[in-house]
Amino acid sequence: MKVLVTGFDPFGGESVNPAYEAVKLLPDILEGAQIIKLEIPTVFKKSIEIVKEAVENYQPDIVINVGQAGGRACVTVEKVAINLADAGIPDNAGDSPEDESLEKDGPDAYFSTLPVKAMVENVRAHGFPCSVSYSAGTYVCNSVMYRVLHLAARSYPNMKAGFIHVPYSSEQVANKDRPLASMPIETIAKSLEHAIEAVVKE
């Protein structure tokens, strides 16, 4: 079994993105499955093209995209992605779509095809906080989740896909003007590991 796990590069003025920093700490083999790690740009148009190329090259059974949701207190597993791009800030290429459809011929939403609740339960069972999220936002994270599920629905019906959001890393909030929820990168990585374990076991 192959699991493609992606994480975004830094955006919004941050020097690091805990999504990919945590992905890099994942083991290469997890519950017998090969873990393929990939950094993708926080860019609406380019991010999905890089994921598509990786899907073509590796033919993964599972795709899990990971992104940062600053302000959230723990790792959250997304349930749904919507067919909407509405950027509060420009992406890393300066693109700032407003009320745009991601896929003109796509449905209004896609549900994750991962065992979301089982993922959350397994993370919690190992002593880490985790919850289900019902909004992946309208920025690049939601865009990638929606478009990967669209790709799977149209071209890779046996490929499972979904998205996980992670909080700020502790180092990101250390010098901010106000206290914000955060987690050490190592804790985020362990949470991701246990979430992926649940997917592979299913």
Side-chain angles (χ1 to χ4, degrees):
M1 183 180 289
K2 296 178 185 176
V3 184
L4 173 64
V5 187
T6 76
F8 288 102
D9 63 1
F11 70 97
E14 298 290 338
S15 60
V16 297
N17 190 324
Y20 188 60
E21 293 304 312
V23 167
K24 287 193 295 187
L25 295 180
L26 292 172
D28 295 326
I29 302 293
L30 186 55
E31 292 293 322
Q34 179 186 358
I35 306 299
I36 302 159
K37 308 161 198 177
L38 178 68
E39 184 177 33
I40 61 175
T42 308
V43 177
F44 279 97
K45 293 174 182 174
K46 191 175 180 181
S47 54
I48 186 59
E49 294 306 318
I50 291 176
V51 176
K52 278 182 180 178
E53 183 179 343
V55 168
E56 290 169 5
N57 289 340
Y58 296 110
Q59 298 289 309
D61 302 281
I62 299 160
V63 178
I64 301 175
N65 304 110
V66 183
Q68 172 194 288
R72 294 194 186 182
C74 66
V75 168
T76 55
V77 185
E78 297 296 341
K79 181 69 176 177
V80 62
I82 60 174
N83 192 3
L84 178 67
D86 193 36
I89 60 171
D91 67 13
N92 284 352
D95 190 16
S96 188
E98 184 175 347
D99 288 329
E100 292 182 13
S101 296
L102 292 168
E103 298 288 346
K104 300 296 184 185
D105 62 342
D108 291 339
Y110 280 110
F111 287 108
S112 171
T113 50
L114 303 179
V116 172
K117 290 186 177 178
M119 294 165 73
V120 170
E121 288 169 5
N122 197 48
V123 175
R124 289 177 174 174
H126 286 84
F128 302 105
C130 189
S131 64
V132 178
S133 168
Y134 297 96
S135 175
T138 55
Y139 195 52
V140 184
C141 291
N142 173 77
S143 171
V144 165
M145 181 181 178
Y146 182 92
R147 284 172 159 153
V148 172
L149 286 163
H150 187 68
L151 174 68
R154 298 299 171 92
S155 304
Y156 299 92
N158 294 321
M159 185 177 77
K160 305 298 183 185
F163 198 97
I164 301 174
H165 263 124
V166 304
Y168 281 131
S169 65
S170 300
E171 65 184 287
Q172 283 178 288
V173 305
N175 296 312
K176 291 192 184 297
D177 295 335
R178 59 191 178 90
L180 292 166
S182 67
M183 269 186 173
I185 292 288
E186 294 77 11
T187 304
I188 295 172
K190 277 295 180 184
S191 297
L192 293 179
E193 183 176 333
H194 297 310
I196 296 167
E197 278 176 358
V199 180
V200 175
K201 287 177 179 178
E202 286 278 326

